[in-house]
Amino acid sequence: MARTQGSHSDITGPRVQRAALELFARHGYAAVSMRQIAAEVGVQAGALYNYTADKQSLLFDLMRGHMDELLAARAGQPQSGSPLQRLEAFTRFHIRFHLERPDAVFVSYMELRNLAPGNFEVIEGLRRAYEDQLEDILRDGVRTGVFELADSKIATLAVIAMLTGVTTWYRSAGRLSAAQVEQIYWDMVRKAVSAG
Amino acid sequence: MARTQGSHSDITGPRVQRAALELFARHGYAAVSMRQIAAEVGVQAGALYNYTADKQSLLFDLMRGHMDELLAARAGQPQSGSPLQRLEAFTRFHIRFHLERPDAVFVSYMELRNLAPGNFEVIEGLRRAYEDQLEDILRDGVRTGVFELADSKIATLAVIAMLTGVTTWYRSAGRLSAAQVEQIYWDMVRKAVSAG
DNA sequence: GTCTATAAGTAGATAGAC
DNA sequence: GTCTATCTACTTATAGAC
């Protein structure tokens, strides 16, 4: 990974982010040193500070970028239809989006503890905004009688936990395609929330 | 937390385990130093090595103890009845057991990455033995037609992810009792796996 | 923009006194 | 069994040369 001296600002920046993401996902934020990230990129540790103020900003920017992307992608999806249709759209979107970014999902979920308090507040707010979208769908369905749930808030958290869990075992080279996985989870979600 | 000099082997050992568990749960294994653990216990760092060979063993023993306790508690539960009855027993057991040990659950789930390879194999084997119990129940129910699932293995992982997720938000001082939470999750699990 | 060198501090783990 | 002291290595971050 040695690199001869020179200027590479346009390509080094993204490479730093990518190396940090991969290493944080594999070993955890606290277990990864700036030297390891630099080695992965092919620069010396000091050079990283041209792209990030410090290690904490590296983590926060990754998580912030992931959440922004999640909310932007979701905003680009169709939001109309019956509660059942909206729930199906949400479920399929969630699985697809998360399966495409296993590292970012893993880091955003596992490294919340390692965010500085102010940074944590920001990420937590974005996460709640996303969850509220599902909760709204479930509440609408309960109101119209198509869903039957004792507690919409808990159902929201339960569904999201179930769906996000897919990233812990799914491998694209495995026996199931992403489309099949999407269908299997949608079947379970639909049944879990539906009225008898 | 200062401590006068003396011998306290019988009480210090459990205190080391407990302090490590709490600190690992709150800050993460890699972010916690042996000196922090020692300060929490009220001894100097060197004294910890009377109770653990090294930091890695501290983590492994905690996780191993948690998994052993999980499997032993489960083995003490009734295992007979219809697939639906067995699923209800498993669901309620899982929620109750996990709600009673939020720190151990959190550490056992989040710190898998920080186990040395051989230690990881052990914990992974225990985890799989536990999951297989749920998978057996689901398979039996599918065979007898009471459950309807496209894939028993994925349903197993989905149900466990959903149930374990309860530990991320549940607080005993919150608006719902553990018994209520148990009931809400059981309603969702039952519906999610049942045949139409 | 990247390098080398370094500051200042902390890590895990051990040795020997008591 | 716990203490103090210490070894060796590594940590984040910065300064100044190129």
Side-chain angles (χ1 to χ4, degrees), chain B residues 90 94 127 130-131 134 155-165:
Chain B
F90 183 95
H94 186 92
R127 190 186 56 75
Y130 181 70
E131 287 178 2
L134 175 56
T156 299
L157 298 171
V159 167
I160 287 186
M162 186 173 102
L163 295 180
T164 305

Side-chain angles (χ1 to χ4, degrees), chain B residues 6-7 9 12 44 50-51:
Chain B
S7 170
S9 72
T12 305
Q44 293 301 313
N50 289 312
Y51 304 97

Side-chain angles (χ1 to χ4, degrees), chain B residues 127-145:
Chain B
R127 190 186 56 75
R128 196 163 308 146
Y130 181 70
E131 287 178 2
D132 285 348
Q133 297 186 34
L134 175 56
E135 193 176 349
D136 286 346
I137 295 169
L138 294 179
R139 273 196 220 283
D140 285 352
V142 169
R143 194 182 314 120
T144 62

